Coordinates of all heavy atoms in Angstrom, one line a residue:
P63 N 48.4 -40.5 11.8 CA 49.6 -39.7 12.2 C 50.9 -40.4 11.9 O 51.9 -39.8 12.3 CB 49.3 -39.4 13.6 CG 48.6 -40.6 14.1 CD 47.7 -41.1 12.9
Y83 N 38.4 -40.2 14.3 CA 37.1 -39.6 14.6 C 37.0 -38.2 14.3 O 35.8 -37.7 13.8 CB 37.1 -39.7 16.2 CG 36.4 -41.0 16.6 CD1 37.0 -41.9 17.5 CD2 35.2 -41.4 16.1 CE1 36.5 -43.1 18.0 CE2 34.5 -42.7 16.4 CZ 35.2 -43.4 17.4 OH 34.7 -44.7 17.8
A85 N 37.8 -36.7 11.8 CA 37.5 -36.4 10.3 C 36.0 -36.5 10.0 O 35.5 -36.1 8.9 CB 38.2 -37.7 9.4
D89 N 31.5 -43.8 12.8 CA 30.8 -44.0 14.0 C 31.6 -45.0 15.0 O 31.5 -44.8 16.2 CB 29.5 -44.7 13.8 CG 28.3 -43.6 13.7 OD1 28.6 -42.6 14.1 OD2 27.2 -44.0 13.2
E187 N 4.3 -27.5 17.9 CA 4.6 -26.3 18.3 C 3.7 -25.8 19.5 O 4.1 -25.0 20.4 CB 4.4 -25.2 17.2 CG 5.4 -25.4 16.1 CD 5.2 -24.4 15.0 OE1 4.2 -23.9 14.8 OE2 6.2 -24.3 14.3
V198 N 6.2 -3.2 36.9 CA 7.3 -2.5 37.0 C 7.5 -2.0 38.4 O 6.6 -1.5 39.1 CB 7.4 -1.2 36.1 CG1 8.6 -0.4 36.4 CG2 7.1 -1.6 34.7
P220 N -8.2 -7.4 26.1 CA -9.5 -7.8 26.0 C -9.9 -8.3 24.7 O -9.1 -8.1 23.6 CB -10.3 -6.5 26.3 CG -9.3 -5.4 25.9 CD -8.1 -5.9 26.2
L247 N 16.4 8.0 29.9 CA 17.5 8.7 29.4 C 17.2 9.8 28.7 O 17.9 11.0 28.8 CB 18.4 7.7 28.7 CG 19.1 6.6 29.4 CD1 20.0 5.8 28.4 CD2 20.0 7.1 30.5
L274 N 9.9 -6.2 36.1 CA 11.1 -5.3 36.0 C 11.3 -4.5 37.1 O 10.4 -3.8 37.6 CB 10.8 -4.5 34.8 CG 10.5 -5.1 33.4 CD1 10.2 -4.0 32.3 CD2 11.6 -6.0 32.9
T340 N 30.6 9.3 22.6 CA 30.4 10.3 23.7 C 30.8 9.7 25.0 O 30.3 8.6 25.4 CB 28.9 10.7 23.7 OG1 28.6 11.2 22.4 CG2 28.8 11.9 24.7
A422 N 41.4 -6.5 -0.8 CA 42.3 -7.3 -0.1 C 43.8 -6.6 0.0 O 44.3 -6.3 -1.0 CB 42.4 -8.8 -0.6
E463 N 10.0 0.9 -22.5 CA 10.7 1.9 -21.9 C 12.3 1.7 -21.8 O 13.0 2.6 -21.4 CB 10.2 2.0 -20.4 CG 8.8 2.4 -20.4 CD 8.5 3.8 -20.8 OE1 9.4 4.6 -20.8 OE2 7.3 4.1 -21.2
A547 N 7.0 21.1 -29.1 CA 6.4 21.7 -30.1 C 5.7 20.7 -30.9 O 6.3 19.6 -31.2 CB 7.4 22.5 -31.0
Y560 N -24.9 20.4 -30.7 CA -25.5 20.7 -29.4 C -25.2 22.2 -29.0 O -24.3 22.8 -29.7 CB -25.1 19.7 -28.3 CG -23.6 19.5 -28.2 CD1 -22.7 20.3 -27.4 CD2 -23.0 18.5 -28.9 CE1 -21.4 20.1 -27.3 CE2 -21.6 18.2 -28.8 CZ -20.8 19.1 -28.0 OH -19.5 18.8 -28.0
G578 N -20.1 20.9 -44.2 CA -18.7 20.4 -44.5 C -17.9 20.0 -43.2 O -16.8 19.5 -43.4
I692 N -26.4 19.7 -24.3 CA -27.7 20.2 -24.2 C -28.2 20.6 -25.6 O -27.5 21.3 -26.3 CB -27.7 21.4 -23.3 CG1 -27.3 21.0 -21.9 CG2 -29.1 22.0 -23.2 CD1 -27.1 22.2 -20.9
G711 N -46.8 27.3 -39.7 CA -46.4 27.6 -38.4 C -45.2 28.6 -38.3 O -44.5 28.7 -39.3

Side-chain angles (χ1 to χ4, degrees):
Y83 269 127
D89 262 348
E187 295 183 339
V198 183
L247 291 180
L274 304 177
T340 303
E463 298 295 335
Y560 48 88
I692 300 174

